[in-house]
């Protein structure tokens, strides 16, 4: 069987005859891969837009609320003081 394949299918005469098949397979593979990547990129863009839009809405709400502004400053100060309190704990 191996001898038959080598002599008939892989001969110097047959290999060029199958060139159009190889080219078609490569072109089909590239097209399929491109389409899948494009679809995934669109899905990722939609998800990213959704996340960023929610983040922006949340950010605007926090900026408009005076209580959250004061609370945010206090939390920031506490977070800034934590490293100092850890240094004196030794």
């Amino acid at each position: 069987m191996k001898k038959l394949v080598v002599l008939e299918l892989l001969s110097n005469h047959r290999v060029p005859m199958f060139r159009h098949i190889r080219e078609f397979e490569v072109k089909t593979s590239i097209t399929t891969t491109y389409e899948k990547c494009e679809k995934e990129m669109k899905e990722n863009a939609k998800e990213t837009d959704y996340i960023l839009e929610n983040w922006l809405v949340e950010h605007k709400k926090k900026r408009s609320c005076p209580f959250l502004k004061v609370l945010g400053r206090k939390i920031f100060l506490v977070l800034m003081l934590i490293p100092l309190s850890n240094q004196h704990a030794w």
Side-chain angles (χ1 to χ4, degrees):
M1 185 67 159
K2 181 180 175 183
K3 185 176 181 179
L4 180 67
V5 169
V6 171
L7 289 176
E8 293 298 322
L9 291 176
L10 299 176
S11 69
N12 289 335
H13 174 69
R14 295 273 185 186
V15 170
M17 288 176 57
F18 298 125
R19 179 179 179 176
H20 69 282
I21 295 172
R22 289 191 315 272
E23 288 175 350
F24 173 77
E25 290 294 328
V26 168
K27 184 178 179 180
T28 303
S29 296
I30 290 172
T31 303
T32 303
T33 304
Y34 177 79
E35 289 171 356
K36 286 181 181 179
C37 287
E38 193 174 39
K39 181 182 175 186
E40 287 183 24
M41 286 173 57
K42 286 180 182 179
E43 290 173 4
N44 286 340
K46 286 180 184 179
E47 185 178 340
T48 303
D49 285 347
Y50 176 77
I51 292 169
L52 291 177
E53 185 176 346
N54 287 336
W55 176 80
L56 184 61
V57 168
E58 182 181 323
H59 182 70
K60 286 180 179 179
K61 284 180 184 177
K62 285 182 180 178
R63 287 189 68 176
S64 66
C65 179
F67 174 73
L68 290 177
K69 285 182 185 179
V70 172
L71 182 63
R73 288 187 195 126
K74 288 182 179 179
I75 291 173
F76 175 75
L77 291 173
V78 169
L79 290 175
M80 295 300 290
L81 292 174
I82 288 174
L84 293 175
S85 64
N86 287 341
Q87 287 177 356
H88 297 292
W90 294 65

